[in-house]
Amino acid sequence: MEIWVDADACPSVVKDIIFRAAERTKMNTTFVANQFIKTPPSQYIQAVQVSSGFDVADNEIVARLHPGDLVITSDIPLAAEVIEKGGLALSVRGDLYTAENIRSLLNMRDFMDTMRSSGVHTGGPAAMKQSDRQAFANQLDKILTKFG
């Protein structure tokens, strides 16, 4: 298993959790973004900077992904591609995307996009709370223990 991180919108506190987990488990972890991502010196952690553009980082992750790899992202369409390719997908809030829940999550995302495009202000995601960070760390540990 390798870990792939959709790093453009990944919160710093989540990156720190991932850095520690990668070192602790000696798991190869790659942060993919269209901007420079500062990573600690480690033989297990690397960053890949891709050109800017719509879904360029997502496409890079999907191209490099192997079945059984873990992708950390809040991008639901990317999570759907990961699941389709046999990978695991985890949100930065600790929600595991699965074959059972991804279709309804995609439908809700599309519905909210339709609402926004029709002028309805839907607000953004809530700020990360301590409980979100804890949920992410717990779910990541559970996955790495089971599959790592």
Side-chain angles (χ1 to χ4, degrees), residues 99-118:
E100 291 75 30
N101 70 14
I102 197 67
R103 183 65 40 215
S104 63
L105 291 169
L106 280 168
N107 289 340
M108 180 56 75
R109 176 195 171 274
D110 292 345
F111 173 73
M112 296 304 280
D113 276 352
T114 301
M115 296 289 287
R116 281 188 290 274
S117 66
S118 67

Side-chain angles (χ1 to χ4, degrees), residues 21 27 29-30 40 67 70 90 117 123 135 142 144:
M27 184 86 50
T29 303
T30 305
L70 171 64
L90 178 65
S117 66
K142 189 183 302 181
L144 295 179

